[in-house]
């Protein structure tokens, strides 16, 4: 195994509010790390720090052996290696699905149109949406739009994918179709950091669980152990509010 991402002694605050307090993490290539924790504990902020979108006060984030520094020029190069999918899909409303997934690769990666379209169609097919290539976002359901957003991220050939509660805004019947796409990515051995409140999904997909609370990593370990017999009282309390198979 080889390390792809390392976070060392990361501290992040917004003015007086300390949000992340000495976070350490090493992620191996192909590893799926699921991050859970109460609302407001800093999960989104953590992903944003990894993606170079937030200035940090102490510590550092390394992708391979390159330091991600949001204040420094060239961060965009790092950011290209990291794909992020959010709760809101942010597709361009006046562009078709095919255009939404092929514009950035042409602009940023200088890919040829034919070439980008060929790959986009393959990926859209993989998520069951090839037939919707000429549709506009408004013609798609939330679950379909989120699958397009995942394809759009994949088109940039990221080394790591970050998912921030990508099913939280979806109607229940659409959650499964999006989670299945992410499970498929795990089978392809993609490196992923996933923030989710879907505990059954987390248990099924995670190689490793990170439980954040109060700005710190409270548990970091095996999903089976975490979900079936959490070590800390805080994790027990957090997990008691969710329904999932505990055996
Ligand atoms: P989570 O994703 O775990 O719900 P967040 O990372 O969104 O938590 O937020 C962590 C804390 O940081 C919260 O208290 C939130 O209010 C605060 N916070 C997040 N973003 C900002 C910001 N841009 N300015 C000030 N406070 C923020
Ligand atoms: Mg969040």
């Amino acid at each position: 195994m080889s390390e792809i991402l390392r976070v060392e002694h990361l501290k992040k605050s917004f003015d007086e509010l300390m949000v992340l307090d000495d976070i350490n993490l090493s992620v191996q290539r192909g590893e799926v790390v699921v991050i859970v924790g109460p609302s407001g504990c800093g999960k989104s902020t953590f992903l944003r720090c990894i993606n170079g979108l937030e200035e940090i006060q102490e510590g550092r984030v390394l992708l391979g052996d390159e330091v991600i520094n949001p204040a420094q020029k060239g961060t965009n190069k790092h950011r290209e290696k990291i794909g992020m999918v959010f709760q809101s899909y942010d597709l361009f409303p006046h562009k078709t699905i095919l255009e939404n997934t092929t514009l950035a690769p042409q602009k940023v990666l200088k890919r040829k149109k034919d070439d980008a379209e060929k790959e986009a169609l393959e990926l859209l097919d993989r998520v069951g949406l090839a037939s919707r290539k000429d549709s506009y976002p408004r013609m798609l359901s939330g679950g379909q739009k989120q699958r397009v957003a995942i394809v759009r991220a994949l088109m940039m050939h990221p080394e790591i994918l970050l998912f921030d509660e990508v099913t939280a805004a979806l109607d229940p019947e659409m959650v499964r179709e999006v989670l299945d796409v992410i499970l498929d990515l795990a089978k392809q051995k993609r490196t992923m950091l996933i923030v989710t409140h879907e505990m059954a999904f987390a248990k099924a997909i995670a190689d490793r669980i990170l439980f954040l609370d109060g700005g710190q990593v409270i548990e970091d370990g095996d999903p089976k152990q975490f979900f079936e017999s959490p070590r800390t009282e805080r994790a027990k309390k957090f997990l008691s509010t969710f329904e999932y198979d505990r055996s």
Side-chain angles (χ1 to χ4, degrees):
M1 286 222 283
S2 66
E3 185 184 68
I4 184 163
L5 175 77
R6 177 192 287 263
V7 177
E8 293 174 344
H9 301 295
L10 170 63
K11 290 196 183 187
K12 166 72 191 169
S13 44
F14 294 105
D15 300 317
E16 301 296 286
L17 178 70
M18 174 73 93
V19 176
L20 300 172
D21 183 7
D22 196 23
I23 307 278
N24 294 281
L25 175 68
S26 165
V27 178
Q28 307 297 311
R29 212 169 277 276
E31 198 173 22
V32 177
V33 179
V34 173
I35 304 168
V36 300
S39 181
C41 74
K43 303 178 297 295
S44 295
T45 304
F46 185 43
L47 292 188
R48 290 173 56 79
C49 289
I50 290 172
N51 205 10
L53 295 169
E54 295 282 352
E55 273 187 48
I56 64 177
Q57 278 67 47
E58 278 183 49
R60 54 183 197 161
V61 178
L62 292 124
L63 189 62
D65 47 16
E66 293 170 289
V67 177
I68 297 182
N69 178 353
Q72 215 172 45
K73 271 198 169 176
T75 300
N76 286 338
K77 269 271 163 273
H78 294 139
R79 219 173 277 157
E80 279 169 26
K81 297 183 186 168
I82 301 180
M84 189 148 175
V85 185
F86 307 87
Q87 214 177 85
S88 61
Y89 347 94
D90 294 328
L91 300 174
F92 295 119
H94 302 298
K95 304 280 185 197
T96 65
I97 298 313
L98 192 61
E99 288 165 343
N100 264 286
T101 50
T102 54
L103 286 174
Q106 291 177 71
K107 240 189 171 157
V108 181
L109 304 181
K110 311 293 176 206
R111 306 256 319 260
K112 290 214 177 70
K113 191 173 178 214
D114 287 358
D115 183 41
E117 287 187 346
K118 184 166 174 281
E119 185 181 359
L121 284 172
E122 283 166 12
L123 289 170
L124 286 169
D125 189 43
R126 185 128 193 173
V127 304
L129 290 173
S131 66
R132 308 309 300 271
K133 69 181 173 62
D134 298 318
S135 300
Y136 288 86
R138 67 171 183 282
M139 300 154 79
L140 268 52
S141 72
Q144 290 172 329
K145 280 188 271 206
Q146 195 56 288
R147 284 183 277 156
V148 171
I150 293 171
V151 167
R152 180 184 52 187
L154 293 173
M155 285 296 293
M156 300 304 282
H157 299 165
E159 292 183 16
I160 304 185
L161 285 160
L162 310 179
F163 291 94
D164 192 0
E165 298 200 41
V166 293
T167 60
L170 298 178
D171 290 334
E173 69 269 24
M174 290 163 193
V175 169
R176 192 70 250 164
E177 64 193 42
V178 173
L179 296 183
D180 283 343
V181 168
I182 304 174
L183 279 165
D184 187 42
L185 296 173
K187 285 203 196 99
Q188 298 167 36
K189 289 284 157 212
R190 301 253 185 192
T191 312
M192 300 191 276
L193 266 65
I194 303 172
V195 170
T196 183
H197 285 299
E198 299 283 339
M199 294 302 147
F201 168 70
K203 191 177 172 200
I205 200 171
D207 293 317
R208 193 166 142 205
I209 292 281
L210 217 60
F211 172 59
L212 293 189
D213 195 9
Q216 294 181 322
V217 176
I218 305 298
E219 298 206 23
D220 176 359
D222 177 54
K224 195 168 156 61
Q225 137 106 68
F226 177 77
F227 287 109
E228 292 173 17
S229 50
R231 282 190 296 267
T232 60
E233 280 309 312
R234 283 157 97 173
K236 273 181 204 150
K237 183 159 171 270
F238 170 74
L239 288 170
S240 70
T241 60
F242 294 94
E243 278 186 36
Y244 62 92
D245 181 6
R246 285 176 162 73
S247 60

